[in-house]
Amino acid sequence: MIRLFGILTGLVFAGVALISFVAGFIAWASEEHVETAEYVFHKAPEDVAFSFDGPLGKWDNVQLQRGYKVYKEVCAACHSLKFVAFRDLQAIGYSEAQVKVLAAEWQVPEYNASTGEVETEAGLPTDNFPPVPYFGQGNPPDLSLITKARHDGTNYVHALLTGYADAATYKNDEGVSLKEEFPDFETPPGAYFNPYFPNLNLSMAAPLTAAGQVTYDDGTEATVDQMSQDVAAFLAWTAEPKMQERKKTGWWFIGFLFFATILAYLAYKNIWAGVKPKKSEAD
Amino acid sequence: MAETTGTATPDTVVQDASDDGVRRRDFINVAAVSAAGIGGLAVIYPFVSQMAPSADVLAESTTEVDISAIEQGQAIKAVFRKQPLFVRRLTPQEIKEANDVPVASLRDPQTLAERTKEGHEDILVTMGVCTHLGCVPLGAADGETRGEFGGYFCPCHGSVFDTAARIRKGPAPTNLEIPDYEFTSDTVIVVGQS
Amino acid sequence: MSFPWASQYEPQNPLMKWVDEKLPLPRLVYNAVGAGYPVPRNLNYMYNFGVLAGFCLVLQIITGVILAMHYAPNALVAFSSTEHIMRDVNWGWLLRYMHANGASFFFLVLYMHIFRGFYYGSYKAPREMIWLLGVVIFLLCMATAFMGYVLPWGQMSFWGAKVITGLFGAIPLVGEPLQIWLLGGYAPDNAALNRFFSLHFLLPFVIAGVVILHIWALHIPGSTNPTGIEVKKESDTLPFHPYYTAKDGFGLGVFLILYCLFVFFMPNALGHPDNYIEANPLSTPALIVPEWYFYPFYAILRAFTFDFILPAKLWGVLAMFASILLWFFLPWLDKSPVRSSRYRPLYRKFFWVLMADLALLFYLGGAHAEEPYIMLSQLATAYYFLHFLVIVPIVSSIERPAPLPYSITEAVLGKDDDATLDAQAAAKA
């Protein structure tokens, strides 16, 4: 009975799935397949070599400090960094006293119970980066986690910042022109063309436009590529400040486990030595 | 060897134990079990350590208090490590009362000078935590009773503190605690500086 | 029941003797996973996954209870409390990554455990109850994992909760009120988050209870083995301890190395980037997908796109639930007297087709809902149902199994003296 019922049920489900397949196939075969510009011209970010890549990667504090400066002077106009506290900056090589100074350069909103108003005060090391009010077009995301919230995030940030192009003359790596392939493709007013952005048009204008836009204290030449790399590195740190500690701890764990597993294997072989037949004897 | 081990039952393993291989073999088993034990113990460390104060809590372990607005005879309540902190500017009269008490007669003998910083004898900084069972004593805010010795009064079990916040009456065993603090300027103190 | 040759617990230590008299817990452990449990001597590495699954459950409960000390189940702060764990709590990043990757590895182990059951016919009589309890455990794990994924309150958490509870909305008549009741609102919000947290905390202990029943049921007939034939005599078995404790210890080591590689070096590889974006009820991610371990069932859900008598959405929901619930009937669908696929040449072929089919469903469940993925998932879904409900019953009645060995001893050693004696006796008669 169960088997008969089972066969019937199975045939019904498989049948309906197949009907769906046939219907889908007919629709697919009879439709014209228009590939979209987003699909054809979207570009995956190129790999950038960062000091913190790979299982042995370490932060380059000098780079992170440069990246902090780029964030502060450029990104922070529109993007907040709300999960990061000023005190965290000690981890990228600032002293306690320096952090106090850095924090005070920011205005942090504070609710004043006696007036009922929100007033801004100079930041304290214990404060988080302040929220950033934004009234323009688009929706600038908080950047604390951005490199984890995008696929291949660190490279993506760098690619996006350096990837702005003119849609009218844009050609992809195979030399195919966007305008020739998709004459109807348009970048709406207030949007900017960038092949690394999922739908190719984003509301953010190229934020890093000229070399020397940020003056680096360590004398590094502030090219657009350099600034993009530095801020991408800084945002990788804000997204996962414990990355270096994590990898270092990982080596201890893995090393110990290898040792313990080899011992466990030897003990296993040892215990089974008396009862396990030689390979040739089995079967 | 292969012939005999092929059909061996568990018992033969025990018999094997009598030959010379035994020490090396036992050693491996003991080593494997010990390694597992060490590994297990090592993993307990983060599991225990996670209950200790987190970074954001530790970051708030110092508090800055601006004392410029406190007038003579007034006190303010601040928060230090999520606990009340009393800062009081004593009047000359209160200082005199505190100094007139024979120190030897106190339960927890301390002079006012020992309980304040040199050059700032009128600024009394204490925890607002009764040393009896941890209630917040009255007397810091305007209009609260200060008890019969003009300092603080704990309403829970009636401990009475004098103008130097020393225990004078009631169950509290010691004077109100003076936290670690220092003057970074004439008007600012930092509490909790180690 | 146990085999008559199972060794008896005889405490040497006076303290253990005293405890055993008052509360025979040491005896229970000894008979469950100690020397008192005789196990077939020919178990291969596929039989390691039961113990590993138990280990994963304990790991998830420990890390989970600890995370609950720091997490706040409130829609306003859930996301930031997760970040608080990652940034400020001592070793919080380790605990969270252990828990998140632990869920993935738990499912990996469960799948291996289940597929081993498919291959070696572990669900067959007299082990139906073990199998049924196992399916219950799997369903409870799915519910627990789903609710756990909602807790960080990222975009995937939110939209996953919305889509999965939306499935209940497909049920005729009661669907919509049921969905609103499940969520305690019209969309996932504080009420849903709080109840998910409560249940996510509770269910693992329920699972632990069912696991105990699962092991209890296992100890009545004893473990199966790769030959599928029953244990006949003492030389077919070895005591669980030290033989299988040693083997499981080694297996655990290999498992932990793999697990730690993920936890420490690619902790987010199995997750989705969108879950690092705080939940936003007004913006849908481009691709809503569950965690990888639900992909096959998600692919089945999405495969039904045609309103055949019933609405397509309802077909999808029915099929998704049916795809797991049909496992409950497996012991009665497969009537072959032979358990192990080793001796079932035809079934074995279909088993590997099923594995390929499931691999395809795993891939398709994570793919964009566009052609040709949908068409492929429709074909894969059709095979999935045909396999369990049509092919398995038919194959089990028409197949001619290969000859079975006389005993486990013979399968392992190549000869069994008892078999020769039996054969001689048969010849004489």
Side-chain angles (χ1 to χ4, degrees):
Chain A
M1 251 331 262
I2 287 181
R3 284 196 285 171
L4 186 66
F5 184 71
I7 290 173
L8 287 175
T9 313
L11 288 174
V12 168
F13 275 117
V16 177
L18 288 174
I19 291 171
S20 294
F21 167 75
V22 170
F25 182 78
I26 291 169
W28 178 72
S30 56
E31 260 171 31
E32 236 183 288
H33 300 288
V34 192
E35 284 193 315
T36 57
E38 291 85 2
Y39 185 80
V40 181
F41 281 88
H42 180 246
K43 220 171 152 185
E46 288 86 12
D47 264 335
V48 182
F50 287 105
S51 64
F52 48 87
D53 287 341
L56 289 168
K58 283 192 162 59
W59 300 117
D60 173 359
N61 280 350
V62 181
Q63 182 183 39
L64 298 186
Q65 295 186 4
R66 288 198 303 265
Y68 166 69
K69 204 162 184 216
V70 178
Y71 168 74
K72 178 167 180 275
E73 293 179 14
V74 183
C75 318
C78 307
H79 293 276
S80 57
L81 199 64
K82 61 180 177 181
F83 295 114
V84 183
F86 297 117
R87 62 185 156 81
D88 294 337
L89 294 172
Q90 268 184 279
I92 63 169
Y94 291 112
S95 71
E96 203 177 331
Q98 282 173 313
V99 166
K100 221 167 164 178
V101 176
L102 290 176
E105 292 168 2
W106 295 79
Q107 288 294 309
V108 176
E110 206 85 35
Y111 175 74
N112 185 331
S114 54
T115 61
E117 305 264 325
V118 176
E119 296 156 0
T120 58
E121 292 184 353
L124 294 173
T126 44
D127 288 325
N128 277 23
F129 277 79
V132 180
Y134 179 80
F135 305 103
Q137 191 181 356
N139 231 335
D142 181 85
L143 294 184
S144 325
L145 284 163
I146 201 77
T147 59
K148 273 156 86 179
R150 297 290 181 273
H151 188 70
D152 195 11
T154 313
N155 289 328
Y156 170 78
V157 169
H158 167 260
L160 192 81
L161 291 176
T162 53
Y164 284 89
D166 184 359
T169 57
Y170 180 74
K171 287 180 177 158
N172 69 9
D173 291 341
E174 287 90 56
V176 184
S177 160
L178 172 67
K179 261 286 162 278
E180 281 169 27
E181 202 81 348
F182 297 98
D184 293 341
F185 181 85
E186 256 183 47
T187 301
Y192 304 88
F193 176 76
N194 191 321
Y196 296 99
F197 194 69
N199 72 6
L200 309 185
N201 294 319
L202 78 165
S203 307
M204 175 171 75
L208 297 171
T209 47
Q213 195 172 342
V214 175
T215 312
Y216 281 146
D217 304 328
D218 65 345
T220 306
E221 200 192 336
T223 60
V224 170
D225 188 73
Q226 184 66 42
M227 289 186 287
S228 306
Q229 284 196 26
D230 292 345
V231 79
F234 175 68
L235 294 176
W237 172 76
T238 63
E240 180 109 14
K242 300 294 170 67
M243 184 200 278
Q244 190 176 315
E245 187 186 344
R246 185 188 84 209
K247 289 173 176 173
K248 201 176 122 199
T249 316
W251 281 108
W252 282 101
F253 268 76
I254 299 281
F256 174 80
L257 280 171
F258 259 105
F259 167 72
T261 306
I262 289 169
L263 278 180
Y265 180 75
L266 293 175
Y268 158 52
K269 283 294 160 195
N270 178 12
I271 285 165
W272 280 71
V275 294
K276 202 122 202 216
K278 288 266 156 65
K279 261 269 142 65
S280 57
E281 274 181 78
D283 294 75
Chain B
M1 184 74 181
E3 291 264 298
T4 54
T5 53
T7 50
T9 57
D11 300 359
T12 38
V13 180
V14 182
Q15 285 161 17
D16 276 355
S18 58
D19 63 44
D20 280 347
V22 64
R23 289 193 175 182
R24 189 181 59 84
R25 288 182 173 191
D26 279 357
F27 172 74
I28 289 169
N29 297 355
V30 170
V33 172
S34 314
I38 291 166
L41 283 177
V43 172
I44 289 177
Y45 174 71
F47 288 11
V48 171
S49 150
Q50 52 85 22
M51 297 226 302
S54 57
D56 54 326
V57 174
L58 290 175
E60 286 178 350
S61 59
T62 62
T63 302
E64 254 185 35
V65 185
D66 182 357
I67 57 168
S68 59
I70 311 173
E71 286 171 29
Q72 275 195 0
Q74 248 196 350
I76 59 163
K77 284 186 195 178
V79 179
F80 170 60
R81 298 184 181 171
K82 303 278 172 192
Q83 295 176 88
L85 178 82
F86 293 163
V87 185
R88 186 157 167 176
R89 193 184 292 271
L90 303 172
T91 60
Q93 172 66 22
E94 287 170 330
I95 296 175
K96 186 174 173 304
E97 275 175 32
N99 286 335
D100 283 352
V101 181
V103 174
S105 70
L106 295 170
R107 185 180 301 170
D108 182 8
Q110 265 184 323
T111 64
L112 179 64
E114 282 166 356
R115 293 173 62 74
T116 51
K117 298 280 179 196
E118 216 183 319
H120 298 280
E121 278 85 1
D122 58 336
I123 298 296
L124 179 68
V125 181
T126 60
M127 297 302 298
V129 179
C130 181
T131 52
H132 178 221
L133 290 171
C135 293
V136 180
L138 300 174
D142 289 339
E144 285 180 359
T145 173
R146 293 184 167 191
E148 60 184 289
F149 293 94
Y152 299 105
F153 171 71
C154 181
C156 293
H157 305 94
S159 293
V160 188
F161 300 88
D162 67 10
T163 52
R166 293 174 298 198
I167 179 65
R168 297 294 291 274
K169 212 171 148 186
T174 57
N175 303 334
L176 287 187
E177 191 196 335
I178 310 281
D180 285 332
Y181 71 96
E182 56 190 38
F183 282 84
T184 51
S185 73
D186 273 355
T187 57
V188 176
I189 59 168
V190 175
V191 191
Q193 211 75 304
S194 50
Chain C
M1 186 214 105
S2 187
F3 300 107
W5 56 86
S7 61
Q8 290 301 307
Y9 182 63
E10 280 155 19
Q12 301 300 316
N13 180 325
L15 176 68
M16 293 311 277
K17 206 172 252 171
W18 184 85
V19 173
D20 188 56
E21 277 167 19
K22 308 331 185 225
L23 177 76
L25 189 64
R27 178 177 300 270
L28 189 78
V29 173
Y30 182 89
N31 290 334
V33 290
Y37 179 46
V39 185
R41 61 189 293 168
N42 58 337
L43 300 191
N44 57 27
Y45 284 116
M46 285 307 290
Y47 287 77
N48 277 44
F49 291 100
V51 164
L52 287 180
F55 174 83
C56 287
L57 178 63
V58 172
L59 183 76
Q60 290 301 87
I61 288 179
I62 293 174
T63 53
V65 167
I66 290 175
L67 286 171
M69 295 180 186
H70 303 283
Y71 168 79
N74 181 303
L76 289 175
V77 292
F79 191 84
S80 57
S81 76
T82 308
E83 279 308 307
H84 164 69
I85 292 171
M86 293 297 289
R87 290 159 195 271
D88 290 334
V89 173
N90 301 311
W91 299 96
W93 59 269
L94 174 62
L95 293 158
R96 175 162 176 262
Y97 280 149
M98 281 174 81
H99 197 68
N101 286 285
S104 277
F105 274 78
F106 196 172
F107 272 92
L108 180 74
V109 165
L110 285 179
Y111 281 123
M112 297 304 279
H113 192 57
I114 293 168
F115 296 162
R116 189 269 287 152
F118 287 155
Y119 190 80
Y120 292 118
S122 306
Y123 47 83
K124 290 189 186 184
R127 294 184 181 78
E128 303 96 317
M129 186 52 82
I130 313 172
W131 176 258
L132 297 180
L133 290 166
V135 180
V136 170
I137 292 170
F138 184 66
L139 287 169
L140 287 171
C141 283
M142 292 179 89
T144 309
F146 160 66
M147 288 189 274
Y149 193 57
V150 175
L151 302 185
W153 210 237
Q155 274 288 68
M156 278 301 168
S157 301
F158 179 89
W159 291 96
K162 191 155 187 172
V163 168
I164 299 298
T165 52
L167 299 181
F168 292 91
I171 301 169
L173 299 174
V174 295
E176 212 160 313
L178 181 66
Q179 184 188 349
I180 291 170
W181 175 77
L182 282 172
L183 288 174
Y186 304 97
D189 200 357
N190 220 19
L193 180 61
N194 262 295
R195 66 190 60 178
F196 282 8
F197 176 64
S198 172
L199 292 172
H200 181 73
F201 204 114
L202 166 73
L203 283 182
F205 298 97
V206 177
I207 293 173
V210 186
V211 166
I212 288 172
L213 299 182
H214 186 67
I215 297 172
W216 185 5
L218 171 71
H219 282 69
I220 292 169
S223 306
T224 53
N225 66 85
T227 65
I229 54 180
E230 287 296 340
V231 165
K232 285 199 169 96
K233 53 192 169 166
E234 190 171 1
S235 71
D236 287 350
T237 66
L238 292 170
F240 191 89
H241 179 74
Y243 292 96
Y244 285 104
T245 40
K247 192 168 183 172
D248 284 330
F250 168 58
L252 182 64
V254 174
F255 167 83
L256 284 175
I257 289 173
L258 198 63
Y259 171 65
C260 283
L261 282 177
F262 273 83
V263 169
F264 290 104
F265 298 108
M266 38 188 164
N268 295 307
L270 298 170
H272 197 289
D274 280 18
N275 226 27
Y276 280 109
I277 305 171
E278 200 167 353
N280 178 358
L282 303 179
S283 148
T284 311
L287 172 66
I288 300 178
V289 284
E291 289 274 83
W292 68 268
Y293 38 81
F294 292 144
Y295 280 175
F297 307 104
Y298 196 55
I300 290 174
L301 171 78
R302 294 196 298 188
F304 291 83
T305 53
F306 189 77
D307 297 333
F308 179 76
I309 306 172
L310 300 173
K313 186 178 169 190
L314 182 56
W315 273 114
V317 174
L318 287 175
M320 187 181 78
F321 285 111
S323 64
I324 304 168
L325 296 180
L326 63 84
W327 292 355
F328 278 118
F329 300 93
L330 204 53
W332 296 279
L333 290 167
D334 180 358
K335 293 307 278 186
S336 171
V338 177
R339 292 195 187 90
S340 172
S341 295
R342 272 193 191 173
Y343 309 103
R344 300 186 61 191
L346 190 57
Y347 173 81
R348 191 166 63 222
K349 290 198 182 78
F350 284 109
F351 171 85
W352 288 114
V353 176
L354 176 72
M355 288 297 111
D357 188 61
L358 278 170
L360 188 63
L361 284 171
F362 263 113
Y363 172 74
L364 295 168
H368 276 273
E370 61 190 30
E371 300 299 0
Y373 304 122
I374 298 174
M375 291 193 294
L376 279 173
S377 65
Q378 285 157 344
L379 294 177
T381 300
Y383 179 78
Y384 182 90
F385 283 101
L386 288 176
H387 177 92
F388 284 106
L389 294 172
V390 180
I391 294 172
V392 163
I394 291 176
V395 164
S396 67
S397 26
I398 62 168
E399 179 179 54
R400 268 198 59 171
L404 294 172
Y406 172 80
S407 66
I408 295 172
T409 308
E410 187 187 281
V412 175
L413 303 179
K415 69 177 170 81
D416 183 341
D417 296 338
D418 289 349
T420 334
L421 291 175
D422 269 8
Q424 283 163 2
K428 263 183 202 162

